[in-house]
Amino acid sequence: MRYMMLIHLDPTTAPEPDAALMDRVGKVIEEMTKAGVLLDTNGLRPVSEATTIKQSGGKQTVIDGPFTESKEVVGGYCILQTKTKEEAVEWTSRFLDAHGPEWEIEVELRQIAEEA
């Protein structure tokens, strides 16, 4: 089963990542890689650089940033391949723990739809 971790955070309150955080998260990412569960991961560029394509009534509109600061944005993602949902939850919990108590962070864990 594949799962996507969508990493939500508030860009106005999230601390700037420092070397210690990068080291802790890097160790978890390395453990995920060695365990064979990490398929892909990355952060996302700031929402101010985003483009939104909206469709309404069959008409599409393209809107380039910068946008009004959002309270919460998707700051990054990980794609995991695990045997069970519980295993995906465990890895997600370890990823969150690496951030420490100074981070207000939430991960939405969703199974990727697979064709039967």
Side-chain angles (χ1 to χ4, degrees):
M1 293 182 281
R2 292 184 306 152
Y3 288 88
M4 177 173 272
M5 294 170 44
L6 296 168
I7 304 159
H8 297 266
L9 52 87
D10 181 341
T12 63
T13 61
E16 195 64 35
D18 60 12
L21 171 69
M22 299 310 287
D23 184 53
R24 290 190 310 268
V25 171
K27 286 179 182 174
V28 174
I29 297 295
E30 184 178 334
E31 291 172 16
M32 289 173 158
T33 302
K34 285 181 181 177
V37 300
L38 182 66
L39 299 179
D40 191 23
T41 186
N42 216 326
L44 299 175
R45 299 287 300 165
V47 70
S48 62
E49 298 176 17
T51 299
T52 299
I53 300 94
K54 180 179 180 179
Q55 181 167 311
S56 178
K59 182 179 177 188
Q60 292 185 359
T61 306
V62 177
I63 306 163
D64 289 323
F67 298 102
T68 307
E69 288 300 317
S70 299
K71 181 173 169 95
E72 186 180 271
V73 298
V74 176
Y77 69 92
C78 293
I79 299 178
L80 308 177
Q81 183 164 333
T82 61
K83 293 181 177 131
T84 64
K85 181 179 181 179
E86 292 75 21
E87 183 183 3
V89 168
E90 180 182 326
W91 282 110
T92 301
S93 179
R94 292 176 69 182
F95 176 83
L96 284 172
D97 282 345
H99 286 78
E102 65 275 13
W103 282 78
E104 292 291 326
I105 186 170
E106 176 179 295
V107 171
E108 178 183 349
L109 183 63
R110 300 195 42 199
Q111 187 173 359
I112 297 172
E114 308 283 350
E115 289 190 33

